[in-house]
Each structure stands twice: as structure tokens, then as C-alpha cells.
């Protein structure tokens, strides 16, 4: 099979914008749209065959009517590409927090150990380096196959993929089976979509039903929702602090630049040093270690390679400003917000400031919870915009400040102005946390995508202040 690098590699699409002359267009209904509305657009772009659930007229091209177009595309892709995917060591990772960091550690470690490994997830599509950004953590099923086949054609046989609950709930990854499935944790998030934590857990559980017969599921043995992911038909490995974990964390210590921890496996203790901070990053690192160990990597190799690994873009991403630290992080849930503040608090000699916002058109219930955590654990907080989408900013801010007892905060809606104010507060040995967007390169307001990257903006501010001083 020959493909042209940089172009769509499939001759079948569910996105009419990606149709090339001679392609087949499948009109799929999804959570936010209906592909049947774009049939004529697909034909104009050159589609010579369409697959639909109902035919309203003669479209002038070959037309196949099926009961379920989602099922059709799933079965088509499985039939035509499963033989290639079965050759690959596909690693799927799900959970509320830690997916990106863990997946990136796995990706980096394998490549530094000489094993070609690709990555698909929140921060983009990576092979030897970043190939492109992606619109979602888990993209459409055709795009997923397209990315996997790009990796395959370039000689990659190991691929780590972040898998979102939305993708699983909406059957966007059906037909793909995995050699390893990983679970990080489950905390409150996306309840505007899932409604209950049980529904949220069951959506993520689907990944573990797509494990290959001789694959293994690797589960956080300390998480309250772990039983949802321990399925009778799977070989399951547990990691964490609990005594019944197959990979057990026995001790750790942390300073302001690194964390050293010891884990026990099969009665043998191993010490690892990581250039990351926080107890939550010990979980992320250990999960990556389990994947490496179960793929035959030795303790010595793991110890050496982990000395060279770092967080992915937008995760504990630090800009030094004199004696101060400005940390950019993707933390956008109550649990993640609390964990990062609690991590940097003990290593901050001066004041701790936090800039954060809450996404529009998403779960409103968590907004005051996040504000309470931020104002309780920080010396001062600046509340700002995140991605408002189509929601009025005044509604978002009202939710964020509802019932707040602490008064150590102010509201600056413009994210750039809020960050600049945070930087202006820094004196000696202070820490400024800029949370919520991490690696992201735009702010979404309605239909507009306004270019903005937290770290780049911070670097410009710091450089400007250095010149002025």
C-alpha cells in the first residue's frame, strides 16, 4: 500500500471537507452534526460514491443506503486496515488527568531507547517530532485510521494514543483493538455530557473491552473507580501505593527540580529520578515505567532514560523570571487544579499567585469549586477567560465567584491582561501559576479562534520587562 505523505491516506471519508476526487463519502450522524447535510458538498469536491441512511433524491453518483452509516464505516475500516493495525503495538490511555503526560513519557522513552513510537493525543500527532496539531484529544475514526497508517507507512510499529470519554461514548474508535489499555484516574469532569460519574466511568470502560486477547490492562490501583476497569476477560496489572499493586510505590522525596521515588515489583525495589514535581507525576511516571517493563525494557535502561525525560508542552512548563517561577499548566479540573497548587506550595519560598479561568458551554457546577480551591490554596488569584465558546463571560464569572468566602481575588477578563497583572505582582522567590490552557494556541470565542499561547505570551512579557529594567 503506497500513500503520499501529508495527504489523506484513506479513500473514504466522513468529513466532506477532506474529500478528494474519487473518494467515497459516508454521511455519519454524530453528537453535534449530521453528515447528510454535506452530501452535495462532498459530491462537488469529487466524491464518486456516497453512503447514506436515507436517500431523498438522485444524487447523480453511486449511492448506497444502509441502516447505520456509523456501523458501515467502522466495519469498512476494520476490513480494509485491520491487518496493518494488528501488526502494531497500539497503546490506548484514558482517564481524567495525566493522559497527556504519561503518553508523552512513553513516546519519548521508546524513541530514546531506539524503538520508533508515535503519539496521538491532546498536544497533537507526533512521529519523530510534532507533525501537526489536532482538533480533539481523540479525532474522528477516519482521521484516526489515517494517522495510524501514516505512522505505519513510515516504519512505526508502536503507537500510544490518548482516548477520550467523548470518543468512546460516541463510538468514534470502534473496531480498533489495543495491545495495552491504560487507566490513570477518574475525577469529576465532563458531567455536562455524561451527567453522572457512573456514565463517565462506563464510557471509559469501553476502551478495556477493546483489548486484544493476549494484551494487558494497566490500572491505577489506588483510584476509587478502578473496579470499572478490571474486567474478568483481561490480564490486569495494578500500579500505585496500595499493597496489592503489582508495581507498588514504596517511598518518594521531592525538591524544587526533581522527584526521586522507589517502586517494588516482584519483590525487587527500583529507584527512579524524574525531572518532574508532584505526587501525581509519580503516578504518571510509574504508569509509563510499567508499559516499558511489560515491553521488555530493563530496569537499568529505564533508570537511565528517565533522567533525560521531561513534561510535555504545557504541563508544568516553567519560565524563570529572576528568582521567580512562572508555571504554565493545562490543569482545568478541580482535582488537577488542587494537585498542582499543592505541589508548588511547599517549594515556593515567597508568594503563590494563580491565574485561571473556566471554559464556556461546559459543566458549570465545577466553576465555584475550582475558585474555592484556588483562593484557599493561593495567596492571590486572578480570574480570567479560558475558552468562552458561545457563553457570556459574565455568566462564567458569576458562576466562578458564587458563594466565595475568600476575598483574595480579582477578575480581569482579558487573559493577556490577567497574565500581565500576575507577572507584575512577582517580587522575590514567588510563583505564578497560569492554568487551564497549557499547550493550546488559540482562545475560542464563538466561531472565532484567536491566536494565543500562554507560554509564548509570558516569554514576551518577561523579555519586555527585562529590556525596560
Amino acid at each position: 500500500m503506497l500513500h503520499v505523505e501529508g495527504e489523506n491516506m484513506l479513500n473514504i471519508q466522513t468529513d466532506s471537507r477532506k474529500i478528494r476526487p474519487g473518494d467515497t463519502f459516508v454521511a455519519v450522524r454524530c453528537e453535534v452534526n449530521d453528515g447528510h447535510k454535506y452530501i452535495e458538498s462532498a459530491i462537488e469536491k469529487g466524491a464518486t460514491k456516497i453512503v447514506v441512511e436515507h436517500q431523498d433524491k438522485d444524487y447523480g453518483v453511486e449511492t448506497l443506503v444502509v441502516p447505520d452509516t456509523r456501523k458501515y464505516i467502522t466495519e469498512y475500516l476494520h476490513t480494509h486496515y485491520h491487518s496493518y493495525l494488528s501488526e502494531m503495538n497500539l497503546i490506548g490511555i484514558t482517564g481524567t488527568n495525566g493522559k497527556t503526560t504519561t503518553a508523552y513519557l512513553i513516546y519519548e522513552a521508546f524513541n530514546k531507547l531506539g524503538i520508533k513510537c508515535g503519539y496521538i493525543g491532546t498536544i497533537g500527532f507526533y512521529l519523530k517530532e510534532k507533525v501537526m496539531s489536532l482538533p480533539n484529544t481523540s479525532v474522528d475514526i477516519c482521521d484516526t485510521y489515517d494517522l495510524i497508517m501514516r505512522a505505519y507507512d513510515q516504519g512505526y510499529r508502536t503507537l500510544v494514543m490518548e482516548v477520550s470519554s467523548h470518543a468512546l461514548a460516541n463510538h468514534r474508535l470502534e473496531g480498533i483493538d489495543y495491545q495495552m489499555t491504560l487507566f490513570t484516574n477518574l475525577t469529576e469532569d465532563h458531567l455536562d455530557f455524561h451527567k453522572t460519574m457512573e456514565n463517565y466511568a462506563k464510557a471509559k470502560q469501553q476502551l478495556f473491552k477493546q483489548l486484544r486477547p493476549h494484551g494487558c490492562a494497566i490500572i491505577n490501583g489506588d483510584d476509587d473507580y478502578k473496579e470499572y476497569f478490571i474486567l474478568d476477560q483481561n490480564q490486569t496489572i495494578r500500579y500505585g501505593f496500595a499493597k496489592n499493586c503489582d508495581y507498588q510505590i514504596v517511598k518518594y522525596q521531592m525538591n524544587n527540580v526533581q522527584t526521586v521515588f522507589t517502586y517494588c515489583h516482584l519483590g525487587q525495589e527500583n529507584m527512579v529520578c524524574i525531572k518532574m514535581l508532584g505526587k501525581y507525576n509519580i503516578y504518571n511516571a510509574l504508569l509509563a515505567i510499567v508499559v516499558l517493563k511489560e515491553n521488555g525494557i530493563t530496569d537499568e535502561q529505564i533508570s537511565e532514560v528517565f533522567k533525560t525525560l521531561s513534561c510535555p508542552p504545557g504541563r508544568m512548563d516553567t519560565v524563570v523570571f529572576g528568582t521567580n517561577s512562572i508555571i504554565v499548566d493545562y490543569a482545568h479540573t478541580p482535582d488537577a487544579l488542587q494537585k498542582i497548587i499543592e505541589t508548588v506550595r511547599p517549594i515556593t519560598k515567597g508568594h503563590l499567585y494563580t491565574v485561571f479561568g473556566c471554559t464556556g458551554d461546559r459543566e458549570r457546577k465545577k466553576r465555584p469549586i475550582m475558585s474555592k480551591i484556588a483562593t484557599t490554596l493561593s495567596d492571590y488569584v486572578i480570574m480570567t477567560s479560558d475558552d468562552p465558546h458561545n457563553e457570556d463571560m459574565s455568566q462564567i464569572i458569576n458562576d466562578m465567584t458564587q458563594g466565595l468566602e475568600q476575598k483574595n481575588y480579582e477578575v480581569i477578563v482579558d487573559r493577556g491582561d490577567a497574565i500581565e497583572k500576575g507577572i507584575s505582582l512577582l517580587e522575590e522567590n514567588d510563583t505564578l501559576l497560569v492554568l487551564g490552557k497549557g499547550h493550546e494556541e488559540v482562545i475560542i470565542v464563538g466561531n472565532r479562534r484567536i491566536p494565543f499561547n500562554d507560554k509564548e505570551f509570558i516569554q514576551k512579557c518577561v523579555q519586555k520587562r527585562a529590556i525596560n529594567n
Side-chain angles (χ1 to χ4, degrees):
M1 178 182 293
L2 296 176
H3 298 308
V4 180
E5 184 178 350
E7 296 183 1
N8 296 327
M9 295 187 174
L10 310 183
N11 61 1
I12 188 167
Q13 296 293 335
T14 59
D15 187 336
S16 63
R17 295 167 297 184
K18 297 178 180 178
I19 289 291
R20 297 170 304 173
D23 283 353
T24 296
F25 175 66
V26 184
V28 172
R29 302 178 194 276
C30 64
E31 59 266 34
V32 294
N33 217 333
D34 183 354
H36 291 79
K37 295 191 298 184
Y38 304 100
I39 292 172
E40 292 184 355
S41 174
I43 294 171
E44 288 175 4
K45 286 184 175 293
T48 55
K49 178 179 179 179
I50 58 171
V51 182
V52 298
E53 292 180 359
H54 56 83
Q55 184 175 359
D56 299 326
K57 63 179 183 179
D58 182 359
Y59 292 107
V61 297
E62 182 184 354
T63 303
L64 175 64
V65 181
V66 299
D68 186 337
T69 50
R70 171 70 67 183
K71 183 178 180 182
Y72 175 90
I73 191 68
T74 297
E75 292 178 350
Y76 178 95
L77 292 170
H78 187 270
T79 298
H80 287 79
Y81 296 97
H82 183 259
S83 61
Y84 300 99
L85 270 60
S86 65
E87 295 180 35
M88 299 187 72
N89 178 14
L90 294 182
I91 303 166
I93 178 169
T94 197
T96 306
N97 300 312
K99 296 189 298 297
T100 301
T101 298
T102 305
Y104 191 80
L105 291 174
I106 294 167
Y107 156 81
E108 260 208 324
F110 270 130
N111 281 296
K112 289 190 174 186
L113 290 165
I115 299 171
K116 294 178 71 171
C117 177
Y119 160 87
I120 300 173
T122 305
I123 58 173
F125 174 45
Y126 285 66
L127 293 177
K128 184 177 180 181
E129 55 190 16
K130 185 173 182 178
V131 178
M132 68 178 77
S133 297
L134 300 175
N136 306 105
T137 296
S138 300
V139 292
D140 179 81
I141 189 167
C142 286
D143 291 332
T144 298
Y145 271 86
D146 178 61
L147 296 177
I148 294 173
M149 289 308 302
R150 289 191 192 206
Y152 181 93
D153 279 5
Q154 294 186 42
Y156 288 78
R157 294 298 179 267
T158 299
L159 185 68
V160 57
M161 303 168 54
E162 292 184 53
V163 180
S164 73
S165 59
H166 283 75
L168 291 164
N170 288 292
H171 314 290
R172 297 209 303 260
L173 297 173
E174 283 188 357
I176 298 175
D177 55 6
Y178 300 85
Q179 186 61 29
M180 287 185 159
T181 53
L182 321 179
F183 169 64
T184 60
N185 51 64
L186 202 74
T187 63
E188 188 170 314
D189 197 18
H190 304 306
L191 295 191
D192 55 318
F193 177 77
H194 295 291
K195 307 305 179 187
T196 68
M197 288 298 290
E198 182 179 16
N199 290 343
Y200 186 26
K202 286 183 175 179
K204 288 187 174 294
Q205 183 189 68
Q206 179 58 38
L207 176 65
F208 296 83
K209 296 178 180 179
Q210 295 176 217
L211 184 68
R212 294 172 184 169
H214 300 292
C216 68
I218 305 174
I219 307 295
N220 182 345
D222 296 336
D223 193 84
D224 292 340
Y225 292 88
K226 59 182 175 292
E227 297 302 328
Y228 282 92
F229 309 100
I230 301 174
L231 307 182
D232 291 341
Q233 69 267 30
N234 292 345
Q235 174 196 346
T236 298
I237 296 171
R238 303 185 190 209
Y239 70 98
F241 284 86
K243 290 184 178 179
N244 66 341
C245 287
D246 302 285
Y247 289 79
Q248 184 194 5
I249 305 160
V250 292
K251 60 184 177 182
Y252 70 95
Q253 59 185 22
M254 180 179 67
N255 58 32
N256 61 347
V257 294
Q258 66 181 21
T259 301
V260 179
F261 68 94
T262 301
Y263 70 92
C264 183
H265 174 58
L266 298 177
Q268 178 180 337
E269 290 192 355
N270 300 281
M271 186 176 73
V272 177
C273 176
I274 56 175
K275 296 177 182 178
M276 298 183 289
L277 307 180
K279 187 177 178 181
Y280 62 96
N281 272 323
I282 297 176
Y283 279 99
N284 296 335
L286 181 57
L287 178 50
I289 287 168
V290 178
V291 170
L292 297 176
K293 286 274 288 183
E294 296 300 318
N295 276 278
I297 307 301
T298 67
D299 296 323
E300 293 75 15
Q301 288 174 304
I302 289 171
S303 178
E304 287 304 309
V305 78
F306 262 80
K307 294 176 183 177
T308 70
L309 303 183
S310 56
C311 287
R315 271 66 176 174
M316 288 291 283
D317 216 339
T318 303
V319 176
V320 176
F321 178 40
T323 62
N324 307 297
S325 296
I326 306 172
I327 300 174
V328 174
D329 195 88
Y330 191 55
H332 62 285
T333 67
D335 180 69
L337 187 79
Q338 180 170 341
K339 283 178 177 175
I340 190 168
I341 298 176
E342 288 180 341
T343 294
V344 302
R345 175 94 263 183
I347 58 175
T348 298
K349 296 178 181 178
H351 294 96
L352 175 59
Y353 303 103
T354 299
V355 174
F356 86 105
C358 290
T359 308
D361 296 336
R362 299 294 186 271
E363 185 185 358
R364 293 174 59 185
K365 178 182 172 184
K366 71 181 183 182
R367 293 172 183 170
I369 298 173
M370 293 175 68
S371 297
K372 183 177 181 180
I373 291 169
T375 54
T376 300
L377 298 178
S378 309
D379 291 306
Y380 196 72
V381 174
I382 302 170
M383 299 180 191
T384 188
S385 61
D386 192 304
D387 288 326
H389 290 283
N390 294 299
E391 188 172 356
D392 192 291
M393 268 305 302
S394 62
Q395 178 64 66
I396 298 173
I397 295 299
N398 286 341
D399 287 346
M400 291 174 68
T401 56
Q402 182 181 359
L404 268 186
E405 296 178 1
Q406 301 276 66
K407 302 301 180 185
N408 59 331
Y409 71 89
E410 65 179 290
V411 175
I412 302 178
V413 172
D414 184 275
R415 192 170 182 90
D417 291 345
I419 292 172
E420 283 196 283
K421 175 59 182 290
I423 294 173
S424 74
L425 297 175
L426 300 174
E427 295 180 347
E428 294 291 331
N429 299 309
D430 295 336
T431 298
L432 172 64
L433 293 174
V434 180
L435 306 179
K437 293 189 64 61
H439 66 285
E440 294 179 347
E441 297 173 354
V442 296
I443 295 175
I444 302 173
V445 182
N447 294 322
R448 292 184 297 150
R449 299 173 67 85
I450 303 168
F452 191 92
N453 176 270
D454 284 351
K455 185 176 181 180
E456 289 178 4
F457 183 84
I458 290 165
Q459 288 173 326
K460 289 178 182 178
C461 290
V462 169
Q463 290 169 3
K464 183 178 177 181
R465 286 176 178 271
I467 292 172
N468 292 339
N469 289 338

